[in-house]
Amino acid sequence: MTPAVAAHRAAAFLVHGRGNDDANTLEVDYCLSELSSMGEPDTKEFHVPNSDAYKETPVEGLELPLYPRQAKALTRMLAIESGDVLFSEEERSEHILPGIGWCLIARAAKKSPLRGGVLGDAIGSGKTVVTIALILAGMEKARANCNIDKRRSGATLIVVPPGLVKQWDDERKKFTKNKLKCITIDCTDTLKRYSVKDICNADIIIVPAGLLEERLKNGPRRPYTEHLAKKAGADHIPSAPSGYSQREAPTIEGTWVRNMASGPEIYVGNKGNQRTRDEQAYYGHCYSEAIKTLRKKTFDSSERGVPLEYFTWERIVIDECHETLVTGKQQETDAADFKAPARRGAREFLGVSQTDAASRPLVASAGVWGLTGTPLLETEARVTELANLMGGTYLTGAAHHWRKEERESGRDLFLNQQEGTRSREYRCAVQESSHLYVKEACQRNRGAKLQVKLNKHQEFVNMSAKEGDAFLNVIAACKLKGFSNSPDQLGENAHKALSVTANSKSRHAALLTTVNKIHEAECETKIIVFANTLYGGYDEARSALQVSGKKFCHISDNDTVHDQNETISWFRHVDATDDDRARPRILLLSYEQAAGHNLQEACHHVILYEPMYSGTDAVADASVEEQAIGRVMRQGQKYDVTVTRIVVKGPKGERCLDDWIVERNLDEDVLRAATSNFD
């Protein structure tokens, strides 16, 4: 066995397909390791560092000064954008020597500047203003770099959940007034109003993440992809697939037989098939080819409606970036922005699976930044995916990441299997690389201690005898009895049992009782209600409010991005006019819509209609609840916040599913993983 061959194989992962064919900067070495002496990697929690060790960077032009912690976070971001922070990208190639118990390990490494990172400050700590300060600090340089002939925009492209488009623009006005030129593009028709010159000369462009798979209210048309294909002169781009062929492993990992229709879900949560992989590969291929064709074209500066993929941006900011890391079936709902095709389109738009940063749909010059209050960095797989998203930094093991197989052929899957499993030493290297990336590229700072209290209340109600019988009939299929079984014991039948508890009329009554109590004490206060769409809870909460005759607002599938922002904005600000005071006092949101909204100015009551449960990913579910509460429990809140949980028990008060899920979501270890253990 020739060490040079193994070294070349390791080096290929760092070079090929990453827009960098220069192998001269690589360092290559090899060693022999005894298999029996290899140790298992220690189980270590990810710890996100703060920015206390950095100096403060002042920024001129802000209407309100940065807090010291924010000015230090800005310093760290500027250092990364300047190329001062290097990261050692490494990959290994292992070859077992038969019969002697030794393994040849070749390693290739290169020092590369980080291309971005994650600002994961606590919920409500001002990640938006730090980002605005970053843009303002580099405004003159970005404007100088603007070049229409080279497709170079001076703008920072901010990709946000659909309901946050207006809020981002409001924050920009609040902190800079009109010092930064901003364009909000909430749909394809809005894009068509702006010329190439307009987009290149802007300082900020704000777009919803789901723009790629935007659908018209009436009909199946997808205006953005149709417009992209027309402008590029490219072939038709098919709809995003409605399913996933590979999924993130839930709680344990293992190896399954490749090229089969499906694998054991207990290991990898994989219910996909080759047809779905082929559909996803074709979708990504057509979209990529359209972008290549588009970028070969030359548009006049007055040309309007040129797709966003045409430009090179100063930087890209992905708000609530944690949502791109979780793609289990349980996170796909009937809500328009959370259906499988919409989520798939958003991930394709961001280039999650594209390792060559220069070939991505969205290309940045200075860096790619993610903002999130709940980073979800509890596994090496998620950290690896996050590093790739934030500018394409390569972590050890990225070439074998589970997402790589989303669009591979049966032949590729078969060849992957021939490589065999990785050694314990390799797993140690994967862990070390992931922890080092979190240390270098991520930062998480606490905000000032809130001066208001968080009052947590649980409203316990019993399901009816009829509902109890229905519940017992469901769990009987699992050969179980009684009400105290956990979701894990119910397995695949958990969703049926959860549908029974979600549809409980007792939960209906508890919601209305809680709302009435709040309004009896504070007749004009605004209330935010969060419910789960996965098992019918959201529909039941909406039905209960409708039957009661109470006026409320909610986000409909037919609402445009503009409509969504207008509805939510009513609950972001205190009432100023009689028309404001005449509007509904209740806002019903799904848990999927929980992230990012600043509702603390006008709201201090939250009702959790049911606990968040999407499956075995306790960390993701706990983070969603934290995000929901964080809409009002955040900096700027002037009143004590009350969070009321509705908990349904058995007909005679027996412990039931809600109790299990609430305990799980409030577990200290789970919450630490959801917030990534910051100082």
Side-chain angles (χ1 to χ4, degrees), residues 67-78:
Y67 291 115
R69 58 179 170 77
Q70 294 172 331
K72 292 177 179 180
L74 175 61
T75 302
R76 193 167 184 171
M77 296 172 80
L78 289 171

Side-chain angles (χ1 to χ4, degrees), residues 33-40 94 103 105 423-426:
S33 180
E34 189 177 2
L35 293 172
S36 61
S37 65
M38 293 181 179
E40 285 286 353
E94 296 184 328
C103 181
I105 303 175
S423 72
R424 288 173 288 179
E425 190 164 319
Y426 186 89

Side-chain angles (χ1 to χ4, degrees), residues 349-383:
F349 187 55
L350 295 172
V352 170
S353 58
Q354 173 61 264
T355 57
D356 181 1
S359 299
R360 290 182 173 182
L362 305 178
V363 179
S365 175
V368 181
W369 294 98
L371 310 181
T372 175
T374 50
L376 300 181
L377 304 180
E378 81 276 20
T379 66
E380 286 80 9
R382 283 186 179 169
V383 176

Side-chain angles (χ1 to χ4, degrees), residues 170-324:
D170 288 345
E171 293 291 291
R172 186 264 310 177
K173 295 174 185 176
K174 174 182 176 182
F175 289 106
T176 69
K177 290 190 174 178
N178 290 316
K179 297 183 182 72
L180 296 172
K181 294 176 286 185
C182 179
I183 294 175
T184 58
I185 299 174
D186 55 9
C187 63
T188 307
D189 285 342
T190 304
L191 173 65
K192 293 177 181 178
R193 301 174 193 166
Y194 296 101
S195 66
V196 170
K197 183 178 180 180
D198 294 333
I199 290 178
C200 285
N201 290 335
D203 296 311
I204 296 176
I205 306 286
I206 305 171
V207 299
L211 183 65
L212 183 62
E213 286 297 314
E214 174 195 1
R215 304 285 175 134
L216 295 179
K217 283 186 177 181
N218 302 314
R221 283 191 55 213
R222 297 156 52 244
Y224 188 82
T225 52
E226 292 176 7
H227 179 68
L228 169 62
K230 182 178 179 181
K231 279 286 186 181
D235 294 336
H236 170 72
I237 301 172
S239 297
S242 60
Y244 288 81
S245 57
Q246 248 71 38
R247 296 188 186 280
E248 182 178 24
T251 54
I252 58 176
E253 297 182 3
T255 302
W256 73 100
V257 179
R258 316 286 178 160
N259 203 24
M260 299 294 288
S262 63
E265 190 182 12
I266 187 174
Y267 292 118
V268 292
N270 174 30
K271 283 187 174 181
N273 54 51
Q274 190 58 47
R275 178 179 177 181
T276 309
R277 283 189 283 269
D278 292 341
E279 288 175 351
Q280 290 173 349
Y282 184 63
Y283 171 66
H285 169 75
C286 292
Y287 180 46
S288 177
E289 289 300 306
I291 293 172
K292 290 178 183 177
T293 305
L294 177 72
R295 289 175 179 166
K296 291 177 182 178
K297 288 182 153 309
T298 301
F299 294 100
D300 187 80
S301 62
S302 61
E303 181 80 16
R304 297 183 183 275
V306 174
L308 302 173
E309 294 88 344
Y310 177 76
F311 302 93
T312 296
W313 307 96
E314 177 65 14
R315 69 178 58 79
I316 295 168
V317 176
I318 305 168
D319 197 8
E320 306 303 337
C321 64
H322 64 276
E323 294 193 357
T324 66

Side-chain angles (χ1 to χ4, degrees), residues 511-512 514-516 518-519 523-530 541-542 544-546 548-555 567 570-571 582-589 603 605 607:
L511 172 62
L512 301 179
T514 303
V515 169
N516 289 336
I518 294 171
H519 280 155
C523 60
E524 293 189 354
T525 194
K526 298 175 182 178
I527 303 171
I528 313 300
V529 180
F530 286 100
R542 182 176 59 190
L545 292 170
Q546 288 171 337
S548 71
K550 295 183 180 297
K551 294 182 179 179
F552 70 100
C553 295
H554 70 287
I555 305 300
T567 298
W570 297 344
F571 291 83
R583 287 179 174 139
R585 303 286 95 186
I586 304 169
L587 174 62
L588 174 63
L589 294 174
C603 308
H605 282 282
I607 299 174

